[in-house]
């Protein structure tokens, strides 16, 4: 079965090459992209099944044994992330194909490079999830970031170049910090293999460990858009094309969180940064959601809620307890799905009404009732209204926070509840301004029928988000087991080095 | 390379000057800053590996070999940075094509705040957010304490967010 492990990286990359060669044939290109992502999704599901029942799968690339060679590890956490990300990228791809078919001549996206870049980004994402050593994690990050730079500035309009400048420079700086961290870790432990680092980091002095921990956290916190380092996100995401924003919002920040989870559990389980992370989680939640409340554009508002809800994920990780981590993993799954759906719905709003500016549109619920449902359900889900998965995830986190006890966790619990309410306020604001009120469209000429594929893809994601509620029991089971594995550290190390680390 | 004080200082100077250049508004200077930072990081990576002779089996005794992994990582990092530098240069050029300069402008939020400050909060509902011309005519730019450089004159004034060029 271990031959399956590299496939989520290789298949999209191969698809990207093919799609680039067939750039002149849009239909063939689309078929290739969809096939590549369907295969990735199928493989990811198999990997999750296998990792859940039989333990982590490891592949040593080129037959070079670790620590000399590069390893790819598909444990439960990685496989779960793979499944969610593959499902989301597939839906967004279908959405963007639906958009391409009816593209306005003015903002026609260059189809030729869109599909290959999108697939390269997917393979970077999967590579980051599967990476078994720090340097291939870096390479995965670079692959997905480089592709995301291209996707964000696609078309090269003035506004996108402006937003892209910030995004690219911030991305480059965070990568450099990560690279510096890699250099420091290598200098102090002599290895970059995560499983081998476990023992060697434990042998270092506590202060040196804290310094390495800090540099790694800094790099990942920029990528995950944690509060003081999150200003780049709401500024750059909203200008990109709707599907691109959606997939960025869903996946890219979560990879930062994924890296933080690995750092906090596998590499530095001593929890010395836990208090700092709790404070950051609190500030991220509150500052993010207050930013969202002040916005008058749907896309910008959603970007701020994205920042705010990163705080929840950080909260779960910072609790350093089994239930906290399990709830955080569940929340990642929920949030990837829901945030992507909301951005896709915002894209539909833009297409139907001609703008996402709340001051200029209104009455969409009467004009396009289905669109109203497609927005309302994920919006309620995001705010944590029962019985949606957002409620279950937040409940899990708050319960873990309460059982942890202490002043700081309690403060974050209060802040989390407040953030949930404010999220409800922000989404209700969008609802009452854009969907109620007398109908008011910026572009009355806009076609009344939205492309079927776009609506279909959004509907599938909405249903997937609702399905998370139904499947919450088994999903919580998987995330609890994944959290246990992470906290024990032994399963991961034993999977890479069956005979003990050298 | 044997780590010594001079090399460590060189890394420090490269990082320091890189960070200072990063804080500039002009994209070309930011780019130079990033290049300096990258070189600093690469040097740091190189210093992390064991120094010694060329690591070739059968030529160099095992004990005298340098650590090839650090060098391999630096090579990878150089390749990645090369590509991204080229991309950033292309963006600076595109920015120059579109606006006549390559300066990083304030984001829509800052522009909104500057406009509000200009109106002294006298105006009614903020119904044309992000639609006004930038920079606002009449030297409000000087009121922005964050901005060190004078704002260059943009070629076009109709910058609606999300608008198409």
């Amino acid at each position: 079965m271990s031959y399956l492990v590299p496939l989520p990286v290789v298949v999209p990359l191969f698809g990207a090459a093919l799609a680039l060669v067939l750039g002149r044939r849009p239909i063939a290109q689309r078929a290739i992209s969809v096939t590549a992502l369907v295969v990735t999704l199928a493989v990811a599901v198999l990997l999750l099944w296998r990792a859940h029942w039989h333990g982590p799968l490891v592949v040593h690339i080129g037959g070079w044994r670790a620590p000399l060679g590069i390893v790819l590890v598909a444990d439960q956490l990685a496989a779960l992330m793979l499944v969610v990300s593959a499902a989301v990228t597939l839906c967004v791809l279908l959405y963007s194909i639906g958009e391409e078919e009816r593209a306005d001549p003015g903002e026609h996206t260059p189809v030729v490079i869109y599909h290959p870049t999108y697939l390269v980004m997917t393979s970077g994402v999967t590579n980051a999830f599967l990476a078994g050593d720090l340097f291939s994690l870096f390479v995965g990050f670079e692959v997905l970031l480089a592709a995301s730079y291209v996707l964000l500035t696609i078309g090269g309009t003035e506004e996108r170049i402006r937003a892209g400048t910030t995004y690219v420079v911030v991305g480059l700086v965070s990568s450099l910090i990560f690279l510096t961290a890699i250099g420091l870790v290598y200098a102090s432990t002599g290895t970059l293999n995560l499983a081998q680092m476990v023992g060697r980091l434990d042998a270092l002095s506590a202060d040196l460990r804290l310094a390495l921990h800090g540099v790694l956290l800094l790099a990942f916190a920029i990528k995950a858009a944690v509060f003081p380092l999150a200003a780049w996100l709401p500024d750059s995401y909203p200008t990109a094309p709707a599907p691109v924003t959606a997939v960025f919002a869903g996946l890219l920040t979560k990879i930062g969180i994924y890296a933080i989870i690995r750092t906090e559990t596998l590499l530095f389980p001593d929890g010395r940064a836990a208090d700092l992370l709790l404070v950051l989680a609190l500030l991220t939640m509150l500052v993010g959601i207050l930013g969202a409340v002040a916005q008058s554009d749907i896309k910008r508002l959603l970007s701020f809620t994205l920042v705010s809800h990163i705080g929840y994920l950080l909260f779960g990780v910072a609790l350093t307890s089994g239930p906290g981590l399990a709830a955080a993993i569940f929340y990642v799954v929920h949030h990837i799905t829901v945030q992507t759906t909301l951005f896709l719905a915002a894209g539909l709003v833009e297409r139907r009404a001609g703008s996402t500016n709340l001051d200029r549109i209104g009455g969409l619920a009467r004009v396009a009732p289905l669109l109203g449902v497609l927005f309302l359900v994920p919006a309620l889900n995001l705010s944590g209204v029962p019985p949606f998965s957002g409620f279950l995830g937040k409940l899990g986190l708050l319960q873990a926070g309460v059982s942890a006890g202490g002043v700081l966790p309690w403060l974050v619990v209060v802040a989390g509840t407040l953030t949930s309410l404010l999220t409800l306020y922000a989404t209700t604001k969008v609802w009452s301004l854009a969907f109620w009120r007398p109908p008011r469209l910026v572009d009355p000429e806009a076609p009344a029928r939205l492309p079927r594929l776009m609506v279909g893809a959004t509907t599938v994601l909405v249903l997937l988000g609702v399905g998370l509620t139904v499947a919450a029991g088994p999903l919580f089971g998987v995330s609890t087991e994944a959290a246990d594995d992470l906290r024990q550290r032994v399963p991961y190390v034993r999977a890479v080095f069956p005979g003990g680390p050298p | 390379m044997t780590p010594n004080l001079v090399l460590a200082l060189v890394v420090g100077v490269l990082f320091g000057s890189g960070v200072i250049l990063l804080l500039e508004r002009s994209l070309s200077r930011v780019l130079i800053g990033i290049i300096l930072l990258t070189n600093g990081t690469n040097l740091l990576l190189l210093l992390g590996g064991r120094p010694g002779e060329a690591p070739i089996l059968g030529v160099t005794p095992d004990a005298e070999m340098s650590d090839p992994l650090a060098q391999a990582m630096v090579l990878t990092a150089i390749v990645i940075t090369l590509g991204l530098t080229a991309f950033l240069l292309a963006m600076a050029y595109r920015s120059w094509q579109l606006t006549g300069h390559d300066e990083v402008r304030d984001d829509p939020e800052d522009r909104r705040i500057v406009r509000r400050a200009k109106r002294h909060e006298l105006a009614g509902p903020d119904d044309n957010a992000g639609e006004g011309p930038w920079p606002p005519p009449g030297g409000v730019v000087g009121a922005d304490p964050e901005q060190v450089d004078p704002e260059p004159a943009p070629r076009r004034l109709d910058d609606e967010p999300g608008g198409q060029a």
Side-chain angles (χ1 to χ4, degrees), chain B residues 32-101:
Chain B
I32 296 174
I34 284 184
I35 292 171
L36 288 182
L37 272 176
T38 325
N39 285 335
T41 315
N42 288 343
L43 199 53
L44 187 81
L45 274 176
L46 212 52
L47 292 177
R50 192 179 57 176
E53 300 291 315
I56 302 169
L57 270 182
V59 178
T60 318
D62 283 4
E64 291 171 22
M65 278 187 190
S66 65
D67 186 349
L69 187 59
Q71 299 167 17
M73 287 193 296
V74 170
L75 280 179
T76 317
I78 288 176
V79 173
I80 292 175
T81 334
L82 177 74
L84 293 181
T85 309
F87 185 76
L88 209 56
L89 267 176
M91 274 181 64
Y93 180 67
R94 178 74 182 152
S95 171
W96 179 80
Q97 260 187 342
L98 286 169
T99 56
H101 59 82

Side-chain angles (χ1 to χ4, degrees), chain A residues 70 85 88 125 154 238 242 252 298 446 488:
Chain A
I70 294 171
S85 58
V88 165
V125 170
I154 214 159
L252 299 198
I298 302 180
Q488 286 173 18

Side-chain angles (χ1 to χ4, degrees), chain A residues 135 142 149 153 156-159 161-162 164-165 168 172-173 176 179-180 183 186 192 235 295 300 360, chain B residues 22 27 34 41 44-45 67 69 73 80 84 87-88 91 94 98-99 105 107-109 156 160 162 164:
Chain A
F135 201 77
E142 283 309 305
Y149 301 153
T153 53
T157 61
E158 191 175 337
E159 192 57 31
I161 290 289
R162 186 197 68 75
T165 311
V168 173
L172 276 173
V173 170
L176 283 175
L179 198 57
T180 311
Y186 186 69
L192 289 174
D235 189 31
Q295 294 306 312
R300 286 187 69 89
R360 300 168 66 191
Chain B
L22 259 189
L27 200 52
I34 284 184
T41 315
L44 187 81
L45 274 176
D67 186 349
L69 187 59
M73 287 193 296
I80 292 175
L84 293 181
F87 185 76
L88 209 56
M91 274 181 64
R94 178 74 182 152
L98 286 169
T99 56
R105 292 184 313 162
D107 60 24
E109 216 65 23
R156 286 216 316 273
E160 182 187 344
Q164 302 301 320

Side-chain angles (χ1 to χ4, degrees), chain A residues 8-378:
Chain A
V9 183
V10 176
V11 169
L13 213 50
F14 187 64
L18 267 183
L20 196 60
V21 172
L22 294 173
R24 308 254 161 176
R25 299 157 182 260
I27 296 179
Q29 209 183 25
R30 285 171 200 164
I32 287 166
S33 318
V34 173
T35 316
L37 289 185
V38 169
V39 172
T40 311
L41 178 60
V43 172
V45 171
L46 271 177
L47 282 178
L48 178 62
W49 174 78
R50 170 69 208 227
H52 184 63
W53 294 108
H54 303 282
L57 270 174
V58 177
V59 71
H60 302 262
I61 293 183
W64 294 90
R65 311 297 298 177
L68 282 182
I70 294 171
V71 285
L72 294 179
V73 186
D75 64 347
Q76 291 196 59
L77 176 63
L80 185 62
M81 292 291 124
L82 277 184
V83 172
V84 184
S85 58
V88 165
T89 40
L90 180 60
C91 286
V92 175
L93 181 74
L94 292 175
Y95 180 97
S96 56
I97 289 176
E99 194 172 38
E100 273 166 23
E101 283 172 351
R102 299 271 187 88
D104 303 329
E107 51 180 329
H108 186 69
T109 42
V111 184
V112 181
I113 57 159
Y114 178 76
H115 284 262
T117 321
Y118 191 84
L119 289 176
V120 168
M121 193 196 70
T122 314
S123 97
V125 170
T126 49
N127 189 12
F129 285 142
L130 289 170
D133 68 271
L134 220 46
F135 201 77
S136 37
L137 182 64
F138 170 73
V139 173
F141 265 124
E142 283 309 305
V143 170
L144 76 92
L145 281 176
S148 75
Y149 301 153
V150 177
L151 288 176
L152 192 86
T153 53
I154 214 159
T157 61
E158 191 175 337
E159 192 57 31
R160 284 187 191 156
I161 290 289
R162 186 197 68 75
T165 311
T166 329
Y167 181 74
V168 173
V169 171
V170 170
L172 276 173
V173 170
S174 80
S175 296
L176 283 175
I177 295 174
F178 188 15
L179 198 57
T180 311
I182 288 176
L184 296 175
V185 168
Y186 186 69
S188 43
T189 62
T191 182
L192 289 174
N193 185 295
L194 292 176
Q196 198 181 16
M197 274 161 67
V198 167
R200 297 208 181 171
L201 280 174
D202 288 352
L204 293 179
S205 78
D207 292 339
L208 179 55
R209 215 161 53 216
L210 186 65
L212 297 176
H213 192 171
V215 184
L216 274 176
L217 269 187
L218 178 64
F220 296 144
I222 298 179
K223 294 188 201 287
V226 172
F227 159 58
L229 312 164
W232 58 271
L233 191 149
D235 189 31
S236 53
Y237 277 17
T239 49
V244 172
T245 316
V247 76
F248 281 16
L251 291 178
L252 299 198
T253 48
K254 307 310 179 300
I255 295 165
I257 289 289
Y258 170 83
I260 291 182
I261 292 180
R262 285 265 183 242
T263 318
E264 289 300 302
T265 54
L266 192 64
L267 302 182
F268 304 98
D270 48 5
R272 282 184 75 182
D275 284 353
L276 175 70
L277 286 180
L278 279 176
V279 174
L280 290 182
L282 187 143
L283 290 174
T284 310
M285 280 181 195
L286 288 181
V287 174
I289 202 63
L290 290 177
V293 166
Q295 294 306 312
S296 59
D297 182 278
I298 302 180
K299 284 183 173 182
R300 286 187 69 89
L301 189 147
L302 288 177
S303 304
F304 274 100
T305 62
L306 168 61
V307 173
S308 163
H309 286 237
I310 294 294
Y312 283 107
L313 305 173
L314 208 55
F315 175 43
V317 180
L319 285 173
T320 62
S321 66
L325 203 55
I329 294 171
F330 179 85
Y331 204 86
V332 173
V333 175
H334 146 80
H335 197 241
I336 290 179
T337 321
V338 168
Q339 196 75 49
T340 311
T341 321
L342 278 172
F343 271 106
L344 290 186
L348 290 176
V349 168
E350 185 168 28
R351 181 158 270 263
R352 185 67 190 84
S355 170
T356 49
N357 193 331
L358 290 173
D359 297 323
R360 300 168 66 191
I361 59 174
L364 280 172
R366 193 173 306 162
V367 180
L370 177 62
L371 181 53
V373 175
L374 290 183
F375 180 84
L376 187 66
V377 173

